[in-house]
Amino acid sequence: MAQPSKLLDPAVLARITPLGFKAARVVEGSITGQHRSPMHGVSPEFAEHREYAPGDDVKNLDWKVWAKSDRYVIKRYEEESNLRCTILLDASRSMQYAGKDAQGGRSKFEAASTIAACMMQLLMKQRDAVGLITIDTKPRAVLQPKATSRQAAQILDTLESTRPGGETELGPVIVRAADQLRRRGMVLVLSDLLCDLDTLYQSLGKLQHNGHEIVVFHILDGEEIDLPFNDSIIFKDIEGSEEIFGEPWAFRKAYQKAMNTFIGEVTTRCQSTGIDHVLIRTDQDLGQALAQYLHRRQRMSATTAGRGRIGGSVV
Amino acid sequence: MPFLAPLLLGGLVFASAPIIIHLLNRRRFKLVEWAPMRYLKLTLRTNRRRLQLEQWILLAIRTLVILLLIFAAARFYLTGNAAAAWLSLGGRTSRVILIDDSLSMGLKTAGQSALDRATDQAGQLIETLGTQDALTVATTSTLTAPMRRDSVMSSDEAAALAKQVRDLTPTESANNWAATLASLGDLLEGAAHSNKEVRLFTDRRAVGWSAEAAEQANRLVSLGVRLVIVDVGQGSEGNASLASFDQSAGVALVNTPIHFVAKIDRRRPAVQGRLRDPRRRRRRNHRQAARHRRGPARHRTQGQPHLRHARPAHRRAAAAR
């Protein structure tokens, strides 16, 4: 086997692997797995009885019920399926930014790739199918979800070879990417969300409408939030040509406030629409942030167990 | 403004340092490729006015600090009478305080003579003057032998001198301003400092002023002397009456000075009324005559027709004749 990818950060993996990752909503997989599926099939979990109709397989008849009540009913089981997870990775130029304090000198894109790789590893271990779509102004690499080890290698390859470029147009691109996701599953969005938020919300809404569960990993550099510079600085738009001269100490507080408002808005918006929003700062430990999120998710699914049953409502 | 080391004021050039540093800083910057441009622009747009104001205030403070430092280095000083020093002094000064002590200065108004007021003000001035200036104090009668001549005094000495000045009394002399100003000019020509100032306390009697005096005054001014005349007299005296006129000695002898004491009573105020204007009177007469020619006004005699053509009794008698 080739050299293990540097994206599979052992420190991160060690923290998240024991936690696992389970879909909160039903997902349509192709093989038996640990996630609940809308299908009925072979499983120890009893789901419901249904009146027999001509054409049903006789082997599914519940003979005990027939013995007691002289009625033909079919016994149905909850199918447990594997998860089809698609990772939407923002590969626009803005993701290239790497602050001085970033952990391991990672740019936002590298941090996002690491998260993508580790999440993929985690899901693959659960025998879940993972796909990857990198996006800038349009979907670039598109890897449909598969659960093979070849897929894992391909995803790692793509992650490593992708160089961020182009502008962030997350909203419309997600809509286009969504058309390629046929079966209900899970979508992980990894981006700094420095784009038009309204269209982003719309496209995320559309994904939700299609029955996908969405997790947004909001990746920002610590410097982008805190503006810790002391020198005079010319801020050059990373995705354009605009330049602004400024002395950051003069407006640091106001800028921090603006950024926090932005993050707060995204958080509340996601919460109100049932999207998981995870803020990742590249100057903080990735493994810890991910583990924290997964842990919280575990607890949440324990308390809300039973929500979103078979055929349950989709948003 | 008073500085002990005015040359160091050249350092004021450094006051422009903050501006230059700012300009240099603008040239030395860091280029950062920035992703959240949208929020940066938002911040700058909403805070532009506040930011600009802050920058200006900061610049002003920085400049001011440097200015103050340089002022301190140039040893800026203010004496006790700071305001006076600020306004009237331009370096060290040779100062002459000249007090008119002619007899007219003894004229009392409201219980205080003009000389009292003069010595009072002069005394105050002597006490508040700094120890930097050379001071000459003299009276018009003893100008050739002044009380102090071009001397720099400690504050104790100044207090003593002020007391001495306050004790002055009017002398039996009249003013000859031409001679006084001439010798003042001579006095100031040998003064220690180039800045010269004369403060003359007088009641500004017309006696003693002549064309020659004016000439002498002009000479003083042309010497660069600042001549300040402090008027201690009291305006117009108004009505006066001779209350008594006595001879001090019983007998008047030939070739012997004799004293007369005249008591002038000035308690009654002058008449302030308007003088009668003779033209006014003429006009009034003219109006009366015209009214008489027109005859009595109609409304006055309405309802009394028998009086309308009434004539005075003597006219009636004349007509009957």
Side-chain angles (χ1 to χ4, degrees), chain A residues 150-171:
Chain A
R150 192 157 165 263
Q151 173 81 350
Q154 232 171 1
I155 287 178
L156 285 177
D157 263 2
T158 315
L159 286 177
E160 275 172 12
S161 60
T162 305
R163 293 282 161 270
E167 287 176 35
T168 318
E169 280 174 30
L170 224 45

Side-chain angles (χ1 to χ4, degrees), chain B residues 105-273:
Chain B
M105 288 289 281
L107 178 63
K108 282 193 179 178
T109 35
Q112 213 186 13
S113 72
L115 189 67
D116 290 341
R117 285 190 290 274
T119 53
D120 223 35
Q121 290 183 26
Q124 268 180 27
L125 186 63
I126 290 167
E127 280 165 347
T128 53
L129 277 180
T131 52
Q132 307 290 333
D133 299 331
L135 186 64
T136 306
V137 180
T139 59
T140 46
S141 59
T142 61
L143 186 54
T144 44
M147 301 161 80
R148 277 297 164 127
R149 184 170 195 143
D150 229 6
S151 56
V152 175
M153 285 176 295
S154 68
S155 53
D156 289 344
E157 285 175 309
L161 181 62
K163 191 177 178 304
Q164 202 184 337
V165 164
R166 285 199 177 100
D167 290 341
L168 285 174
T169 49
T171 57
E172 291 179 9
S173 62
N175 281 324
N176 177 5
W177 289 110
T180 307
L181 292 176
S183 50
L184 198 58
D186 298 340
L187 192 77
L188 281 170
E189 263 176 359
H193 302 302
S194 58
N195 284 333
K196 291 160 194 158
E197 189 187 280
V198 173
R199 263 171 208 260
L200 175 56
F201 294 89
T202 176
D203 55 359
R204 287 173 66 209
R205 296 268 159 190
V207 181
W209 288 103
S210 59
E212 202 192 334
E215 226 170 76
Q216 289 298 337
N218 284 339
R219 178 184 158 225
L220 277 181
V221 173
S222 68
L223 279 173
V225 175
R226 206 164 148 251
L227 181 60
V228 182
I229 295 177
V230 183
D231 183 10
V232 289
Q234 291 287 70
S236 160
E237 267 84 36
N239 260 4
S241 60
L242 188 61
S244 65
F245 189 79
D246 296 317
Q247 187 180 340
S248 58
V251 190
L253 299 171
V254 177
N255 289 337
T256 313
I258 187 162
H259 282 232
F260 295 97
V261 176
K263 234 182 187 172
I264 311 292
D265 190 353
R266 298 186 291 104
R267 276 174 298 192
R268 289 182 201 88
V271 174
Q272 294 292 316

Side-chain angles (χ1 to χ4, degrees), chain A residues 34-49:
Chain A
Q34 30 178 299
H35 311 280
R36 286 180 296 126
S37 156
M39 309 299 180
H40 298 268
V42 190
S43 136
E45 286 289 310
F46 168 74
E48 60 181 358
H49 279 121

Side-chain angles (χ1 to χ4, degrees), chain A:
Chain A
M1 194 178 159
Q3 188 77 18
S5 167
K6 72 173 163 67
L7 291 176
L8 294 173
D9 189 338
V12 179
L13 279 176
R15 293 197 76 141
I16 65 169
T17 313
L19 289 168
F21 187 63
K22 244 175 128 176
R25 293 160 63 173
V26 294
V27 293
E28 295 172 0
S30 54
I31 56 166
T32 311
Q34 30 178 299
H35 311 280
R36 286 180 296 126
S37 156
M39 309 299 180
H40 298 268
V42 190
S43 136
E45 286 289 310
F46 168 74
E48 60 181 358
H49 279 121
R50 181 169 65 78
E51 203 71 29
Y52 169 80
D56 280 336
D57 199 337
V58 235
K59 77 174 184 189
N60 291 335
L61 274 178
D62 192 337
W63 295 110
K64 281 184 186 162
V65 174
W66 172 77
K68 278 191 260 181
S69 60
D70 203 18
R71 275 168 43 202
Y72 297 107
V73 288
I74 302 279
K75 197 174 182 184
R76 310 225 303 172
Y77 296 92
E78 234 177 58
E79 188 187 70
E80 287 192 325
S81 171
N82 68 335
L83 172 70
R84 291 167 63 84
C85 177
T86 310
I87 298 171
L88 287 180
L89 178 62
D90 178 0
S92 63
R93 273 181 63 80
S94 67
M95 292 291 282
Q96 213 174 26
Y97 187 82
K100 219 167 50 224
D101 299 332
Q103 290 277 319
R106 284 193 187 105
S107 68
K108 287 190 286 181
F109 181 76
E110 283 161 352
S113 300
T114 309
I115 293 173
C118 293
M119 287 304 287
M120 177 205 72
Q121 187 76 355
L122 176 68
L123 291 164
M124 284 279 182
K125 215 165 227 172
Q126 295 171 181
R127 297 200 298 141
D128 293 325
V130 182
L132 173 74
I133 303 178
T134 62
I135 48 183
D136 42 68
T137 46
K138 56 182 177 182
R140 293 279 169 198
V142 179
L143 297 171
Q144 288 290 345
K146 277 179 204 156
T148 58
S149 59
R150 192 157 165 263
Q151 173 81 350
Q154 232 171 1
I155 287 178
L156 285 177
D157 263 2
T158 315
L159 286 177
E160 275 172 12
S161 60
T162 305
R163 293 282 161 270
E167 287 176 35
T168 318
E169 280 174 30
L170 224 45
V173 182
I174 286 180
V175 174
R176 284 169 66 183
D179 295 338
Q180 299 175 344
L181 307 175
R182 285 180 292 273
R183 301 171 76 180
R184 278 191 251 178
M186 189 151 200
V187 178
L188 307 183
V189 179
L190 296 119
S191 169
D192 52 11
L193 303 188
L194 297 174
C195 60
D196 186 34
L197 287 178
D198 287 333
T199 53
L200 175 73
Y201 293 141
Q202 274 173 19
S203 56
L204 290 183
K206 188 164 182 228
L207 272 181
Q208 272 191 320
H209 183 77
N210 288 351
H212 299 290
E213 183 180 346
I214 302 172
V215 180
V216 174
F217 289 95
H218 192 179
I219 298 161
L220 285 171
D221 197 277
E223 286 182 358
E224 289 178 330
I225 300 175
D226 295 335
L227 202 73
F229 309 112
N230 286 319
D231 309 310
S232 301
I233 285 188
I234 286 188
F235 294 98
K236 185 180 177 306
D237 192 351
I238 203 164
E239 290 179 3
S241 55
E242 199 175 357
E243 289 185 0
I244 294 177
F245 177 85
E247 285 171 347
W249 52 266
F251 52 86
R252 183 174 298 138
K253 280 235 173 70
Y255 175 80
Q256 284 173 356
K257 208 170 137 202
M259 270 320 257
N260 286 329
T261 314
F262 157 59
I263 294 169
E265 251 172 39
V266 174
T267 311
T268 42
R269 180 72 187 238
C270 286
Q271 260 173 5
S272 66
T273 48
I275 296 172
D276 279 354
H277 174 261
V278 189
L279 177 68
I280 306 269
R281 291 175 60 131
T282 57
D283 59 342
Q284 284 167 9
D285 189 43
L286 281 188
Q288 192 181 357
L290 274 183
Q292 245 170 21
Y293 165 64
L294 294 175
H295 208 87
R296 201 173 69 218
R297 202 179 152 85
Q298 248 183 2
R299 267 211 322 276
M300 288 291 287
S301 68
T303 52
T304 59
R307 217 180 60 181
R309 298 289 301 179
I310 295 165
S313 64
V314 175
V315 181

Side-chain angles (χ1 to χ4, degrees), chain B residues 86-97:
Chain B
W86 186 284
L87 295 172
S88 61
L89 298 188
R92 293 180 172 202
T93 309
S94 284
R95 202 179 284 272
V96 176
I97 293 177

